[in-house]
Amino acid sequence: HSGGGFFFFFSGASQGKSEPRIPVSIDDVIADLAVVFHWSPDVCDQMDLAELMMWHDKARERSETKK
């Protein structure tokens, strides 16, 4: 998968940058957190939406390939 992301969705943005988009579902967010941080769904169930999205953004940053 090209575009610098692991399991994250990116748009074909101008200026050659990949911009993160809103994930398709909360299940996708939880799956991404499980892959990057090795967290179980039980951990994610304790978080509100804002916290899940904050951690999802951190997971996206950590999974990007460095150029």
Side-chain angles (χ1 to χ4, degrees):
H1 176 293
S2 63
F6 192 71
F7 285 95
F8 304 93
F9 303 95
F10 292 88
S11 64
S14 60
Q15 292 116 4
K17 292 183 180 179
S18 294
E19 293 181 2
R21 293 186 345 210
I22 296 172
V24 174
S25 72
I26 292 298
D27 289 339
D28 290 334
V29 171
I30 292 171
D32 292 342
L33 295 177
V35 170
V36 174
F37 296 120
H38 308 284
W39 291 347
S40 70
D42 293 341
V43 172
C44 298
D45 286 344
Q46 303 303 313
M47 299 179 197
D48 62 28
L49 183 58
E51 188 175 11
L52 278 171
M53 297 313 292
M54 178 197 69
W55 282 109
H56 188 257
D57 190 50
K58 290 178 185 280
R60 182 189 53 79
E61 290 171 1
R62 284 167 175 74
S63 70
E64 288 179 341
T65 56
K66 303 292 182 203
K67 292 186 179 188

